[in-house]
């Protein structure tokens, strides 16, 4: 009976006066980690820098609603969509840089060929086709993905006046990555790579600072998956 009363009290607390929602539209610059079989060996590493946009919805409950200083806790869900904009070197170090140097060398060689009167049109076209193939292969490796992040939240807010509040908090969650890129075996940086055996996910820890004016909020955050994240939205 005592446990039932405690559970009822907790439920009523979550549904009480201190309940509020926060909805943010986010722009994020961070990174995406992967797990894959590379030449038949399991490898976990940071694949590249990710530029994405999305929305985050959080339900918060205040333990002391109405006070100038409030402690809040809750849970939420973030959904984003973005693209790898820069690949990271793998554990061999230098593989991405080597490929870029080869590409730049081919571009420089093409310019020399165009200035050389002895170069035939067929030679120029062959080099142009090789450059286009390398560009297409590179673009394919800069893939798009959907990110889904369920999280729990803790937040401390300070009332400045009747219309303005400032706050700081932390989100603890896990980000799941979904992409058609993971459905096929690929050659990445010269090595056979397969993602099929693994769920692409990573623990997500993010700290944030924000301010609200009436119902409008602005928030800046950073974490282990996010170099910088800017969010604009509303709270009710």
């Amino acid at each position: 009976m005592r446990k039932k009363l405690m559970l009822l009290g907790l439920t009523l607390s979550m549904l009480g006066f201190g309940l509020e929602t926060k909805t943010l539209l986010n722009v994020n610059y961070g990174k995406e980690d992967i797990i894959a079989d590379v030449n038949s060996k399991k490898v976990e590493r940071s694949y590249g820098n990710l530029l994405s946009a999305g929305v985050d919805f959080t339900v918060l409950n205040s333990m002391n609603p109405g006070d100038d200083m409030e402690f809040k806790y809750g849970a939420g869900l973030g959904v984003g969509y973005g693209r790898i904009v820069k690949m990271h070197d793998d554990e061999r170090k230098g593989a991405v840089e080597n490929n870029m140097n080869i590409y730049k060398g081919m571009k420089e060689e093409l310019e020399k060929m165009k200035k050389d009167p002895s170069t035939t049109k067929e030679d120029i076209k062959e080099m142009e086709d090789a450059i286009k193939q390398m560009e297409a292969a590179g673009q394919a490796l800069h893939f798009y993905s959907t990110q889904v992040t369920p999280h729990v939240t803790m937040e401390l807010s300070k009332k400045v006046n009747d219309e303005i509040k400032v706050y700081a908090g932390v989100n603890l969650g896990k980000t799941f990555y979904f992409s058609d890129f993971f459905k096929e075996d690929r050659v990445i940086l010269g090595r056979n790579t397969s993602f099929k055996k693994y769920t692409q996910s990573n623990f997500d820890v993010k700290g944030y600072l924000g301010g609200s004016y009436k119902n409008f909020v602005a928030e800046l955050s950073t974490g282990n998956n996010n170099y910088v994240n800017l969010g604009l939205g509303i709270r009710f």
Side-chain angles (χ1 to χ4, degrees), residues 103-114:
Y103 173 71
K104 291 176 181 178
M106 292 171 66
K107 296 276 283 187
E108 292 172 359
E109 182 63 25
L110 177 61
E111 293 304 313
K112 292 179 182 178
M113 292 172 65
K114 289 180 178 180

Side-chain angles (χ1 to χ4, degrees), residues 68-70 72 155-159 165-168:
D68 287 348
M69 186 80 74
E70 291 185 66
K72 303 174 183 180
E155 183 180 293
L156 188 65
S157 70
K158 169 67 175 175
K159 182 178 179 181
K165 289 183 179 181
V166 293
Y167 59 89

Side-chain angles (χ1 to χ4, degrees), residues 48-110:
N49 290 353
L50 173 70
L51 181 63
S52 63
V55 61
D56 187 275
F57 179 77
T58 305
V59 178
L60 292 162
N61 187 66
S62 175
M63 294 186 67
N64 52 327
D67 290 355
D68 287 348
M69 186 80 74
E70 291 185 66
F71 176 75
K72 303 174 183 180
Y73 61 94
L77 181 70
V79 179
Y81 183 75
R83 183 175 186 265
I84 295 294
V85 293
K86 180 183 178 181
M87 288 183 67
H88 293 172
D89 271 323
D90 62 14
E91 61 274 14
R92 294 171 297 173
K93 306 298 181 185
V96 172
E97 184 179 355
N98 289 340
N99 278 11
M100 287 300 300
N101 288 337
I102 292 171
Y103 173 71
K104 291 176 181 178
M106 292 171 66
K107 296 276 283 187
E108 292 172 359
E109 182 63 25
L110 177 61

Side-chain angles (χ1 to χ4, degrees), residues 35-38 40-43 182-185 193-200:
I35 307 174
D37 285 335
V38 179
S40 301
K41 180 181 178 181
K42 183 180 178 181
V43 171
F182 303 135
K183 297 179 181 179
E184 299 179 13
D185 293 342
T193 304
S194 175
F195 304 93
K196 295 177 182 178
K197 286 167 51 178
Y198 307 102
T199 298
Q200 302 303 319

Side-chain angles (χ1 to χ4, degrees), residues 134-192:
M134 194 167 187
E135 289 174 341
Q139 288 299 311
L141 297 181
H142 291 69
F143 61 88
Y144 290 87
S145 67
T146 299
Q147 306 93 42
V148 178
T149 307
H151 60 81
V152 295
T153 300
M154 292 176 287
E155 183 180 293
L156 188 65
S157 70
K158 169 67 175 175
K159 182 178 179 181
V160 178
N161 56 42
D162 289 340
E163 295 183 334
I164 298 176
K165 289 183 179 181
V166 293
Y167 59 89
V170 60
N171 287 349
L172 306 174
K174 191 168 187 178
T175 299
F176 297 87
Y177 302 100
F178 302 94
S179 176
D180 288 340
F181 185 82
F182 303 135
K183 297 179 181 179
E184 299 179 13
D185 293 342
R186 300 177 181 276
V187 177
I188 299 177
L189 300 177
R191 299 193 293 174
N192 296 325

